[in-house]
Amino acid sequence: ENREDMLSSKSNKLTEALEEANKLFRGVRRSREAALDAQFLVIASSLGKEKANELHSEMAAFDSLVFAEDLLTFMGINRVQVQRNDSDSEGTSSGYLPSDAWHKLGEEAEKYFRRAPSFHYMLGSFSSDPPVPKQRVERQKKASKGEQKQAMPAQLKKMEESHQEATEKEVERILGLLQTHFKNDPDTPISFFDLVIDPNSFARTVENIFHVSFIIRDGFAKIKLDDDKLPIIEPSAENEGKEDHSHAGARNQAVISLNHEEWQ
């Protein structure tokens, strides 16, 4: 019933109604009374939401009457003269403002209008200097496939082939040493670390492990563990090596970690 009064920003009736509802809630004993209280809270929350939406975000509204009153005060209106003139007849046109009131207002307003307009460009900044010409970068023509093959240095090709041949020769040399040592003393196991470790060169030790890995991969040798759980290596039989090479997926491979301290 009092919806408009409660939504008014100058009225506190919504707050008073909430305070009264809090007092009445203390005497609630039945479910019907609690339901009425809940219904009131729904209505009050909707009214509060509408009241909050009507608030000004700038928290200050322009009042033309207040502005006019302040303007007249600035221009020097005499309130006593106003009251006296009100009692006079309407035909009197002496006025309430002093003679220099509008001149005073003009001088004050002139301060805010005697500003040079800000300068701005319509289409961006204007520069009197000519643009710097961009240097043209000539693109290299793509060579055909035949020319690319011819451009490959012959010396590099020889280096790749020589490196591959050197690796194969080193693998064959180590395999020959392993087979010869095993034939001379087949009952004595060959320690893997004694075979690959070079006590004078860590890099050479790494290369030896690398070359032996090819022998293990191709099935020409196999690594086992002795009673002390240390790796030993022995060459495979000819038939066994061929069979392992054809079934490469059945073999297991491992990665060995060896740093300089362990090598020493």
Side-chain angles (χ1 to χ4, degrees), residues 133-173:
K134 296 182 180 180
Q135 296 180 357
R136 296 183 60 184
V137 180
E138 296 183 358
R139 296 183 180 179
Q140 297 180 357
K141 296 181 179 180
K142 295 183 178 180
S144 59
K145 295 183 179 179
E147 294 178 355
Q148 289 181 355
K149 292 181 179 179
Q150 294 177 1
M152 182 177 181
Q155 185 178 0
L156 179 61
K157 188 175 182 181
K158 291 181 179 179
M159 289 177 61
E160 293 178 354
E161 293 177 355
S162 61
H163 185 270
Q164 185 176 1
E165 292 176 357
T167 302
E168 293 177 356
K169 291 180 179 179
E170 187 66 18
V171 171
E172 293 176 357
R173 188 183 68 85

Side-chain angles (χ1 to χ4, degrees), residues 6 19 47 50 92 99-100 103-104 116 124 130 142 219 236 244:
M6 289 186 176
E19 293 177 354
L47 292 175
E50 292 182 16
T92 307
S99 58
D100 61 341
H103 182 70
K104 182 179 180 181
K142 295 183 178 180
S236 303
D244 289 347

Side-chain angles (χ1 to χ4, degrees), residues 81-94:
Q81 187 69 21
V82 171
Q83 294 177 0
R84 290 179 179 177
N85 291 335
D86 288 340
S87 61
D88 296 340
S89 62
E90 296 179 358
T92 307
S93 59
S94 59

